[in-house]
Amino acid sequence: MVSKKQKFVADGVFYSELNAFFEKELGEDGYSGCEVRVTPTRTEIIIRATNTQDVLGVNGRRIRMLTSIVQKRFNFPEGTVELYAEKVAARGLCAVAQCESLKFKLNNGTAVRRAAYSVVRYVMESGAKGCEVIISGKLRAARAKSMKFSEGFMLHSGNPAKEHIDFAVRHVEMKQGVLGIKVKIMLDSDPTGRLGPKTPLPDIVTILSNDGKDEVTTDVPVSESKIPVNEAAEAPPAEAPAAAVEAH
């Protein structure tokens, strides 16, 4: 009999090893994480990637190969594990995809500042509230240092930081040494849950109007009389101008 503690530890080790395997195998295909769904009859593993066609392979050959490797490594019975590929809804709002993109640019010899700023700009154009990229290691000189590139609004503590921030870390093996990459993306709330968490930030205040008449939009300037209605009704009519009297 497996205790509840041992089961949670075993599930965590399984997910960690599975995620590391997919990162190594599908990193160039835009791998962005996986999800494991366990049912009484089978185990479904959903692979999220930006290039799902490359994950599937020609006629589904690659996905069948990955299914066979996972089945043999974790001793699943025949036909009880299935792999699916799911396309990432917004590539610019996925920290793992942007980490892999930055890693690919650095490996191709792009300058550090140019590569980092291109990632930050692409993330902000995709609708994120904030973005932060940290690259550390031997960037130019022999001494290691850390460079931070940030834009927009970013949370660092509290429960909203857990819900609204997507975080990813990657390592780049360069000729001068290993560089560390950290990408943090601050997501905006989305009621549908596709582009961000459904729960809004706790400090956002939305003022609702209980009467549609309160919201009056005008295109021309208007003047409002400050005289009460009763006084305006009792006031005598204004006298005609002198020039008009002489004309009669």
Side-chain angles (χ1 to χ4, degrees):
M1 184 67 181
V2 180
S3 67
K4 194 173 290 187
K5 180 180 178 181
Q6 289 174 327
K7 184 182 183 307
F8 279 117
V9 171
D11 290 345
V13 170
F14 166 69
Y15 180 81
S16 178
E17 188 172 343
L18 191 69
N19 191 47
F21 168 68
F22 287 146
E23 280 181 7
K24 184 178 179 181
E25 190 71 24
L26 306 173
E28 295 181 356
D29 302 319
Y31 171 73
S32 304
C34 65
E35 181 182 352
V36 181
R37 296 176 183 172
V38 181
T39 62
T41 56
R42 61 183 179 179
T43 301
E44 298 177 353
I45 300 172
I46 299 162
I47 302 171
R48 291 191 296 273
T50 55
N51 303 323
T52 52
Q53 198 60 43
D54 295 338
V55 175
L56 295 173
V58 181
N59 297 327
R61 190 179 303 166
R62 191 177 189 189
I63 198 80
R64 288 197 299 270
M65 183 193 72
L66 293 173
T67 304
S68 175
I69 293 173
V70 171
Q71 177 184 330
K72 291 176 181 177
R73 167 62 187 87
F74 297 104
N75 298 323
F76 282 106
E78 187 74 27
T80 58
V81 60
E82 289 190 17
L83 268 64
Y84 301 96
E86 180 184 349
K87 192 174 183 64
V88 176
R91 181 169 168 267
L93 300 179
C94 179
V96 177
Q98 294 309 308
C99 240
E100 292 290 346
S101 173
L102 184 56
K103 180 179 177 180
F104 181 75
K105 290 178 181 178
L106 293 176
N107 277 328
N108 285 349
T110 310
V112 174
R113 287 180 182 271
R114 185 175 181 180
Y117 277 125
S118 67
V119 168
V120 171
R121 186 170 61 252
Y122 182 71
V123 169
M124 295 303 294
E125 288 174 355
S126 299
K129 289 182 74 71
C131 177
E132 183 180 278
V133 176
I134 301 176
I135 304 176
S136 55
K138 293 182 180 179
L139 302 175
R140 286 186 179 178
R143 189 178 182 88
K145 64 176 181 177
S146 179
M147 298 176 70
K148 181 187 289 187
F149 309 88
S150 59
E151 188 175 341
F153 176 59
M154 181 67 62
L155 289 174
H156 295 278
S157 63
N159 189 60
K162 296 179 182 178
E163 295 181 347
H164 288 263
I165 288 184
D166 193 12
F167 179 71
V169 178
R170 289 293 182 272
H171 300 93
V172 189
E173 295 180 1
M174 306 286 285
K175 186 169 65 175
Q176 67 268 26
V178 179
L179 298 183
I181 300 173
K182 294 180 182 177
V183 175
K184 291 171 70 176
I185 298 175
M186 176 81 179
L187 303 173
D188 199 359
S189 58
D190 182 18
T192 61
R194 292 181 68 252
L195 303 177
K198 293 184 178 180
T199 56
L201 289 171
D203 58 345
I204 289 181
V205 178
T206 305
I207 301 176
L208 302 177
S209 174
N210 58 356
D211 189 3
K213 297 179 181 178
D214 295 345
E215 300 179 4
V216 180
T217 58
T218 57
D219 298 331
V220 294
V222 295
S223 61
E224 184 179 350
S225 175
K226 300 295 183 181
I227 303 175
V229 179
N230 297 332
E231 294 182 12
E234 294 174 0
E239 296 181 359
V245 174
E246 291 177 1
H248 288 292

